[in-house]
Amino acid sequence: MKNDKWSNTPLSGLAEALRRKGMEPRVSPRPKRERTDEELFEEAMAGVREIPEFRKTPLKEPPASRPSRRKRDDTMEGLRAMRRLVQGKERVTLSDTAEYAEWASPEASGDIPARLHAGDFAVQDFIDLHGMTAREAEEALSDFLRGALRRRLACVKVIHGRGLRSPKGAVLREAVRKWLRGGLSKHVRAYATARGCDGGLGATYVLLKSR
């Protein structure tokens, strides 16, 4: 049996008293559940309706530009020239190609490279650098030019190839041209790409300075 004498409930009846005075105790609200992306999307799209006409919108293609008559004529002439070259009816002018190269020292006259390429100077000796490394080729070319000067030669030919079988391209050809107008220029008066009968783009004529 519960002893009322020792029971102590000081807050009993507090909630009832507060309700009577219009002061109900505050109850902390339960935290709201965060809505998922799908629920937010559905709420944002509420009331949106599909417009059937926009389901497939045709694209308007720009009008095709027609090449000018002059451009068409130039294109046809280029094709005809290419056909003549392939059929052997017309020779390639090496000096008009991107691989052609020429150079002249300051003391050489302006027409020397063109004359050199045209074959006005007889080739008196040549060196073939095929299969050499860059270092070997530079040493061999330097020794060859010094020997040619001692023999009082005026024009020689350097065979370097076009690098068509090399994955790096015409590395040796470009190196030879760099050496001729650089460290070896003290021996060189001018150089120019050889004629087709002498190796064409795979060889270079070198006109030596007189001692």
Side-chain angles (χ1 to χ4, degrees):
M1 180 176 174
K2 188 176 180 180
N3 192 347
D4 294 337
K5 182 178 180 180
W6 298 102
S7 62
N8 184 15
T9 55
L11 299 180
S12 62
L14 177 59
E16 181 64 25
L18 291 175
R19 278 195 294 270
R20 291 176 182 176
K21 293 182 179 182
M23 299 173 61
E24 294 187 7
R26 295 181 179 178
V27 180
S28 299
R30 296 179 62 184
K32 295 183 179 180
R33 180 180 64 84
E34 293 186 0
R35 288 176 294 177
T36 63
D37 293 340
E38 291 77 6
E39 292 173 340
L40 293 173
F41 177 77
E42 290 178 0
E43 180 180 341
M45 297 298 293
V48 176
R49 65 183 183 85
E50 180 186 6
I51 302 177
E53 290 80 2
F54 288 174
R55 182 176 296 176
K56 184 177 180 181
T57 304
L59 297 177
K60 184 177 180 181
E61 297 183 358
S65 57
R66 298 181 61 186
S68 63
R69 181 175 180 179
R70 180 177 179 181
K71 187 175 182 180
R72 292 197 303 271
D73 292 343
D74 291 344
T75 301
M76 293 303 299
E77 178 57 32
L79 292 175
R80 285 192 291 267
M82 186 177 297
R83 187 179 297 111
R84 290 194 297 270
L85 290 173
V86 172
Q87 294 172 350
K89 297 179 180 180
E90 188 172 321
R91 298 182 61 183
V92 178
T93 303
L94 296 182
S95 58
D96 292 337
T97 66
E99 296 182 72
Y100 175 84
E102 63 179 33
W103 174 86
S105 61
E107 61 266 25
S109 59
D111 65 339
I112 287 294
R115 291 178 55 199
L116 185 59
H117 172 67
D120 289 355
F121 302 89
V123 175
Q124 298 167 298
D125 201 354
F126 71 92
I127 181 173
D128 190 346
L129 304 178
H130 276 109
M132 297 185 186
T133 64
R135 184 172 182 178
E136 293 170 346
E138 185 175 11
E139 292 179 358
L141 181 59
S142 179
D143 292 342
F144 172 73
L145 294 183
R146 286 198 298 268
L149 286 170
R150 286 194 298 267
R151 294 158 56 198
R152 298 185 181 278
L153 302 183
C155 181
V156 296
K157 181 176 67 174
V158 180
I159 303 173
H160 41 65
R162 297 177 62 187
L164 298 179
R165 299 180 181 178
S166 172
K168 296 182 180 180
V171 176
L172 190 57
R173 182 185 66 188
E174 298 307 317
V176 167
R177 294 172 178 176
K178 180 180 178 181
W179 299 332
L180 291 176
R181 64 177 181 269
L184 299 179
S185 61
K186 58 185 176 182
H187 307 312
V188 180
R189 187 179 175 192
Y191 72 73
T193 295
R195 295 180 297 165
C197 60
D198 269 336
L201 300 170
T204 298
Y205 294 141
V206 181
L207 190 65
L208 300 175
K209 293 180 179 179
S210 57
R211 298 188 66 178

